[in-house]
Amino acid sequence: PKRVRVHHLREAKERGERLTMLTAYDAVTARIFDEAGIDMLLVGDSIGNTMHGHTTTLPVTVDDLIPPARAVAGAARRAFVVADLPFGSYEAGPEQALATSVRMMKETGVAAVKFEGGKRVAAQIRAITDAGIPVVGHLGYTPQSENLLGGPRVQGRGDLEAELLCEDAVAIQEAGAVAVVLEMVPAPVAARVTEILHIPTIGIGAGTQCDGQVLVWVDMAGMTDWSPRFAKRFGEVGAALKAAASAYADEVRGGTFPDADHQFDK
Ligand code: KIV
Ligand code: NA
């Protein structure tokens, strides 16, 4: 399969072809999603919630993200792989953000980095882009700021807030961002941002007019009992996995596994 590269993102927008993105945190799922034709894989700091058992993304560190980013980048043959910069690894300024990004690129093989914020991180986006590293932005609900935002709430409601969101989107595009995630934004506002930008918008809880969509794979596949309203369950993989584990346990307890086919007779 032909590798998805940075110019394909803008070409997809120009052609009106919607981009698909899923999170992945390991080689097993990265290979599955890559073979399914998912265009972009995100090694998200949502790993804190989905895999590490935290209730927020705030405790996630660069050291936490490097091994999964390396695993996903190594497993994906076609997808454009993006790694999040975790909370505390880029906010201080362009120097800190560039150092973190360079480390991520050197140690993992991902194609781009992503981090949260608009105007407040435009200088960081410019510095990283100038160093030859593509940056994906993230606007709307930004989980690393959940304490300031008062939890997971729709952002950009009302004329003033919508205008500020558009300004942030233009600012990060001007700073060099190659795409932007819009999280929990009213559909008409996401549609407006999509219209004014020439870089693709990737929505999550942001309506159907975005240039692409992203979901946390655990939500997409139905791994857990609860998933957010905007995250449709496209499978019941959690239930299927539980059934497989029970079947295995039943056969071990009943002495029917291993059978002749699954043992060495000499
Ligand atoms: O960390 C993550 O999974 C994300 C997506 C929700 C966009 O940032
Ligand atoms: Na994230």
Side-chain angles (χ1 to χ4, degrees), residues 119-196:
K119 286 176 198 154
R120 68 185 168 90
V121 295
Q124 282 89 325
I125 296 173
R126 175 44 58 202
I128 296 165
T129 303
D130 283 349
I133 304 167
V135 178
V136 175
H138 186 155
L139 296 172
Y141 179 63
T142 45
Q144 293 173 12
S145 304
E146 73 151 71
N147 294 295
L148 189 62
L149 297 174
R153 304 169 65 205
V154 173
Q155 303 293 312
R157 276 195 173 132
D159 291 348
L160 179 64
E161 293 293 310
E163 181 51 32
L164 290 173
L165 186 65
C166 289
E167 286 177 17
D168 275 333
V170 170
I172 69 176
Q173 172 176 277
E174 294 313 311
V178 299
V180 58
V181 168
L182 300 178
E183 179 165 353
M184 292 182 77
V185 172
V189 178
R192 171 94 185 109
V193 173
T194 301
E195 189 182 282
I196 64 181

Side-chain angles (χ1 to χ4, degrees), residues 46-238:
S46 55
I47 194 172
N49 309 67
T50 58
M51 301 290 152
H52 295 173
H54 302 304
T55 55
T56 75
T57 61
L58 273 67
V60 176
T61 64
V62 179
D63 287 341
D64 287 334
L65 281 178
I66 288 209
R70 189 185 293 131
V72 172
R77 280 186 277 219
R78 175 181 173 272
F80 185 83
V81 180
V82 182
D84 260 345
L85 300 192
F87 178 63
S89 73
Y90 61 92
E91 298 88 334
E95 254 182 67
Q96 184 200 25
L98 181 57
T100 305
S101 302
V102 167
R103 183 173 170 215
M104 191 63 84
M105 301 306 285
K106 277 189 187 288
E107 297 184 24
T108 70
V110 299
V113 297
K114 169 175 129 354
F115 48 95
E116 300 178 2
K119 286 176 198 154
R120 68 185 168 90
V121 295
Q124 282 89 325
I125 296 173
R126 175 44 58 202
I128 296 165
T129 303
D130 283 349
I133 304 167
V135 178
V136 175
H138 186 155
L139 296 172
Y141 179 63
T142 45
Q144 293 173 12
S145 304
E146 73 151 71
N147 294 295
L148 189 62
L149 297 174
R153 304 169 65 205
V154 173
Q155 303 293 312
R157 276 195 173 132
D159 291 348
L160 179 64
E161 293 293 310
E163 181 51 32
L164 290 173
L165 186 65
C166 289
E167 286 177 17
D168 275 333
V170 170
I172 69 176
Q173 172 176 277
E174 294 313 311
V178 299
V180 58
V181 168
L182 300 178
E183 179 165 353
M184 292 182 77
V185 172
V189 178
R192 171 94 185 109
V193 173
T194 301
E195 189 182 282
I196 64 181
L197 293 189
H198 55 256
I199 57 172
T201 58
I202 317 285
I204 175 165
T208 187
Q209 294 305 309
C210 294
D211 299 302
Q213 297 291 327
V214 56
L215 283 176
V216 170
W217 87 259
V218 173
D219 298 333
M220 181 280 300
M223 294 296 286
T224 54
D225 293 338
W226 182 87
S227 41
R229 176 179 151 198
F230 54 75
K232 181 171 168 180
R233 298 166 77 94
F234 288 87
E236 291 298 334
V237 180

Side-chain angles (χ1 to χ4, degrees), residues 31-46:
R31 178 59 55 82
I32 292 169
F33 302 151
D34 189 64
E35 287 178 357
I38 300 300
D39 302 312
M40 306 168 81
L41 295 178
L42 172 64
V43 187
D45 62 353
S46 55

